[in-house]
Amino acid sequence: MMDNKKIEKISRALSDASRIAILQQFKKKKDCLYCAEVNDLLDLTQPSISHHLKQLVDAELLLPQKEGRNLKYVLNHQVLDEYISSLNTLKD
Amino acid sequence: MMDNKKIEKISRALSDASRIAILQQFKKKKDCLYCAEVNDLLDLTQPSISHHLKQLVDAELLLPQKEGRNLKYVLNHQVLDEYISSLNTLKD
DNA sequence: TTCAAATATTTAAATGTTTCAATATATACA
DNA sequence: TGTATATATTGAAACATTTAAATATTTGAA
């Protein structure tokens, strides 16, 4: 089971409109999303987006995969499932 | 389905160690928790705890019920379920 | 090797959060 | 009614987050 520090970190990663939008983009883009596509999606500068992606990666919600000069992200289903399970245990 | 602003607000409410501890206390205290019990639980001043409880109430994770001078909280299972459902939709 | 493209880091400003001390409000009880 | 108890609000300090500008790093391609 996920510890409280991890729950806190994932919750914080989810507590921002830009980062929620990034995660939802995976619905449209199948399983992977390129960094450049996130830059197109959000009306923010490149360093800001890099910062948001870093937080999602630090929370392990996203797994980064380098592809030459580009960076591809995949959604970490396992961590998302564990987070959801942790929330479910709050319901007794 | 829950909108993104609501997901953001609930996530933020969950992104703090004290507030996670409060929610977990419902496991031990059945369905309801008194404000005074939260004061015993956390090593924070009364105003700080009041502030944390307010955020959980604002996010509708907790429902406050006045009982004379005291205040009782119940966990809002429906909102928690809707939040969890919203997270589940991230998994395609 | 040099240049251009993709991403990351640093710095600083603006804003938001957490906390406590002091104070206010509401309500039960003597 | 007056007093004590429970909770909320205000104000300020400390700290964290978000953002953009400037710059650095990495890597592919000419």
Side-chain angles (χ1 to χ4, degrees), chain A residues 13 16-26 28-29 33-56 62 73, chain B residues 4 8:
Chain A
D16 177 275
S18 298
R19 293 191 293 268
I20 292 169
I22 292 169
L23 293 175
Q24 285 172 338
Q25 196 64 6
F26 282 91
K28 292 174 187 158
K29 285 296 182 175
L33 187 62
Y34 283 87
C35 186
E37 292 177 310
V38 180
N39 280 278
D40 293 343
L41 174 67
L42 299 175
D43 192 19
L44 288 175
T45 60
Q46 177 270 323
S48 294
I49 289 169
S50 183
H51 171 250
H52 286 305
L53 286 167
K54 187 176 191 310
Q55 286 185 72
L56 291 169
L62 294 186
Y73 293 99
Chain B
N4 283 4
E8 186 181 343

Side-chain angles (χ1 to χ4, degrees), chain B:
Chain B
M1 184 51 61
M2 192 166 264
D3 72 7
N4 283 4
K5 271 289 162 214
K6 185 76 184 172
I7 295 173
E8 186 181 343
K9 185 158 200 167
I10 293 176
S11 299
R12 188 169 299 279
L14 292 170
S15 71
D16 177 275
S18 298
R19 294 192 292 268
I20 292 169
I22 292 170
L23 293 175
Q24 286 172 338
Q25 197 64 5
F26 282 90
K27 283 188 226 178
K28 293 174 186 160
K29 286 293 179 176
K30 290 258 177 93
D31 278 330
C32 83
L33 188 62
Y34 283 88
C35 185
E37 293 178 309
V38 180
N39 281 279
D40 294 343
L41 173 68
L42 299 175
D43 192 19
L44 289 174
T45 61
Q46 178 269 321
S48 293
I49 289 169
S50 183
H51 171 251
H52 285 306
L53 286 167
K54 186 176 193 308
Q55 286 185 71
L56 291 169
V57 169
D58 285 352
E60 296 180 286
L61 285 167
L62 295 186
L63 299 169
Q65 301 184 353
K66 262 209 141 173
E67 281 191 354
R69 232 171 2 182
N70 303 320
L71 189 47
K72 185 173 83 174
Y73 293 99
V74 298
L75 194 60
N76 191 341
H77 283 241
Q78 190 190 327
V79 164
L80 192 50
D81 279 336
E82 284 176 19
Y83 179 67
I84 289 169
S85 292
S86 298
L87 296 181
N88 267 311
T89 69
L90 292 176
K91 301 187 300 172
D92 304 355

